[in-house]
Amino acid sequence: MQAHPNVQAVQDALDDADARDGSGNRCEVRMLPDAVHTAAAAADALGVEVGQIANSLIFDADGEPLLVLTSGAHRVDTARVAADLGVTALRRATPEFVRAHTGQPIGGVAPLGHPKPVRTLVDKALAGYGEVWAAGGVPRAVFPTTYDELVRITAGTPAEVA
């Protein structure tokens, strides 16, 4: 079966980065039986803790995209992140803004595989887990990795985001 183009782009980016999962194996995008639009639904489908889900949230930071990879166990404190970054306005992005900058739909935004790199913050809370799960380009695609790998493969900045 042919992979969705978004899923293929994510897998290609993972392969290009030589990304690894929590066991040190090559990261592989997996398709779940159904779309998972929340961290709780993803955790339930995978049989893991909600904190292990790395939510990919795109924000509009003074007109530029900002990807925040946050633990599913909490919410992003937008005022804190805006102050830390020195931006005047940090807003949840519209679906059109998300797709324009990532090529992916809300609910399936992966940490990588975008048309061009997106500034990324990686929630330090994810470091507390040996393996974390991220979206794979569409709402039913996911892949396992680690906090350190997320930071490396996204060229992200570790941050306190909650």
Side-chain angles (χ1 to χ4, degrees), residues 17-33:
D18 194 29
R20 300 292 161 177
D21 67 16
S23 300
N25 297 314
R26 174 181 165 267
C27 283
E28 289 192 44
V29 177
R30 302 176 192 179
M31 299 303 288
L32 297 172

Side-chain angles (χ1 to χ4, degrees), residues 3 12 25 28 33 101-102 112 114 120-121 126-127 145 148 155:
D12 290 347
N25 297 314
E28 289 192 44
H101 291 284
T102 69
L112 71 176
H114 311 138
T120 303
L121 300 180
L126 292 168
T145 190
D148 289 339

